Amino acid sequence: MEFIRFILSGFWTWAGFLILIVAAGNAVAEIVKAVRPPRKIDAYRIGERWHVQIEGARPGDVAEMLNAAERDDGTGATL
């Protein structure tokens, strides 16, 4: 309870604490983004050949994309 009273005791104390919380939250969000990169898998057909681009995917994602590409009717598949 004393901590809350201290934080709410003045505008600058409150503003500083709020900025500190936002900065800490942003740092945590950036760490999570760095640890879990976005997954992107694209497969498309040019002529008779399939082109597959894989970024940050797990092996299960790759297998799923290849299965989808095999079932595709030639229009291209994107996950």
Side-chain angles (χ1 to χ4, degrees), residues 14-72:
W14 174 80
F17 180 73
L18 188 63
I19 290 171
L20 182 65
I21 294 297
V22 169
N26 189 29
V28 169
E30 291 297 322
I31 290 171
V32 169
K33 283 182 189 177
V35 170
R36 293 193 56 162
R39 296 180 297 177
K40 180 180 176 186
I41 306 171
D42 290 330
Y44 51 93
R45 185 185 304 205
I46 297 178
E48 293 297 317
R49 294 181 157 216
W50 280 97
H51 296 269
V52 179
Q53 296 176 337
I54 303 169
E55 297 176 15
R58 296 177 295 197
D61 297 332
V62 175
E64 181 181 337
M65 187 64 208
L66 292 176
N67 289 336
E70 288 176 0
R71 292 188 309 264
D72 191 6

